[in-house]
Amino acid sequence: MSGVVGARRADARGWGPLLRGLLLRLAGAVFVLWAAATLTFFGLRLIPGDPAQALLGGPGSQASAEALAQVRAENGLDQPLILQYLAQLGRLATGDLGTSYAQKNSVLSIIGSQIGGTLLLAVLALAVAWLIALGLALWATRGGRIAAAVGSGLEIVAAAVPHFWLALVLVLIFSTTLRWLPAVSTSGPAGLVLPVLTLAIPLAGFLGQVIRESVLDALAAPFTLSARARGETENGIRWRHVLRHGALPGIALSGWAFGWLISGAVVVETVFARPGLGRTLLNAVQLRDVPLVVGVVLVVALGYVLVTVLTDGASRLADPRERAA
């Protein structure tokens, strides 16, 4: 009887840290969303110019004072800034992202129509970046000093390449010179190749550096020596033991990489004329469309939080030490 009671108490004590962890994650997610909405709202207000004039087409529209006053009243821009901010937070708290100033449509519907293309681009770019990074890391750690030096140099160069410059180079090579791929993104698979490579190559440089260092540490670890003593082949050591250990920093970095890919999509979707959240966000910022900008930023922030949770779970699955903890 006492054993059963003790087991129940142990289970109760085990649920305590789990609930505390879930509450901390929930509080962290709420804080991230609040900070993203707040910084975006006030950041847009720092852009020079009148938001009402931007909604009417900019300074070149020559809008009358009556038209400007009407636009301010319709969109609440005639209220003090703090009241506009509180009203925005109140709507967001109820799940209402508002209506786009410029498009006169629901922000949620606009985001829903654009998010699929950006997510597809980001997921494909992340997968390609992982393939490139793993290939470089394994080749650099097995090919000797020359391969290590070349692989390290390629990783540094790839990580330092700006998306805009890389996109232009890829278009010049594969579209203008070789004529293999379209310069403008199309609906078919061929239209995804250049945008995905533009996002994947710089990310592969970052991932390759951390994975290569972790692989080198794993090759010198005691569990590798034990595997060799048991007669394990080099290929078996690398694929069964070293690769899993070496991938852990890359998995942890993938949560950050998601937000980085979404920010890079602003440039990539603009260069390749590809519809998505990136171009939508850029156009909304230019028009000072506060509800749409805040809505896109919140969706990206929420996606970042979810991906961080998923990468944390993947790290626990890949690392027995974290599962035991």
Side-chain angles (χ1 to χ4, degrees):
M1 185 68 178
S2 60
V4 174
V5 174
R8 290 179 178 175
R9 289 177 178 175
D11 290 340
R13 288 194 299 268
W15 280 105
L18 177 61
L19 292 176
R20 285 196 298 271
L22 291 175
L23 290 175
L24 285 175
R25 282 193 176 277
L26 180 61
V30 172
F31 175 78
V32 168
L33 295 176
W34 168 81
T38 301
L39 292 175
T40 303
F41 180 87
F42 288 105
L44 285 174
R45 299 304 186 187
L46 295 177
I47 300 177
D50 185 357
Q53 194 173 54
L55 293 177
L56 291 175
S61 64
Q62 298 180 348
S64 63
E66 292 78 8
L68 290 173
Q70 182 179 357
V71 167
R72 292 190 187 99
E74 289 176 352
N75 296 282
L77 298 175
D78 55 345
Q79 299 293 324
L81 186 60
I82 187 63
L83 293 182
Q84 296 180 41
Y85 169 68
L86 293 176
Q88 181 81 10
L89 285 186
R91 289 193 298 269
L92 294 177
T94 61
D96 181 13
L97 298 182
T99 302
S100 168
Y101 289 165
Q103 300 188 36
K104 306 300 182 184
N105 198 2
S106 168
V107 170
L108 195 59
S109 64
I110 295 172
I111 293 175
S113 66
Q114 301 294 328
I115 194 172
T118 300
L119 287 179
L120 176 64
L121 187 62
V123 170
L124 290 177
L126 184 61
V128 172
W130 262 98
L131 291 176
I132 297 173
L134 287 174
L136 275 176
L138 292 176
W139 174 68
T141 56
R142 191 170 186 176
R145 293 184 177 179
I146 295 178
V150 173
S152 177
L154 290 175
E155 291 164 357
I156 294 173
V157 171
V161 171
H163 287 124
F164 183 79
W165 182 85
L166 180 59
L168 295 180
V169 170
L170 292 177
V171 168
L172 179 63
I173 295 174
F174 294 102
S175 298
T176 305
T177 304
L178 299 176
R179 300 183 182 276
W180 289 352
L181 297 168
V184 178
S185 183
T186 59
S187 58
L192 278 169
V193 175
L194 293 185
V196 167
L197 287 177
T198 302
L199 282 176
I201 290 175
L203 179 58
F206 287 107
L207 291 175
Q209 292 179 63
V210 298
I211 292 175
R212 176 170 52 82
E213 294 297 327
S214 186
V215 167
L216 290 174
D217 292 340
L219 287 172
F223 65 82
T224 303
L225 299 177
S226 300
R228 286 197 179 99
R230 293 194 302 268
E232 188 79 60
T233 64
E234 285 298 319
N235 287 333
I237 290 173
R238 287 178 178 273
W239 289 104
R240 296 178 186 176
H241 305 285
V242 172
L243 188 60
R244 183 173 65 176
H245 181 86
L248 291 176
I251 293 174
L253 194 64
S254 295
W256 161 85
F258 176 80
W260 188 79
L261 288 171
I262 297 299
S263 65
V266 175
V267 176
V268 172
E269 290 175 355
T270 302
V271 172
F272 292 101
R274 179 178 176 80
L277 285 183
R279 288 183 67 190
T280 300
L281 179 61
L282 180 61
N283 293 333
V285 170
Q286 292 174 341
L287 295 173
R288 302 187 66 173
D289 192 342
V290 176
L292 184 54
V293 174
V294 173
V296 172
V297 171
L298 281 179
V299 168
V300 173
L302 180 61
Y304 174 79
V305 171
L306 293 176
V307 171
T308 302
V309 173
L310 292 176
T311 54
D312 182 58
S315 297
R316 292 177 183 274
L317 290 175
D319 192 351
R321 295 170 297 180
E322 291 197 19
R323 289 203 303 272

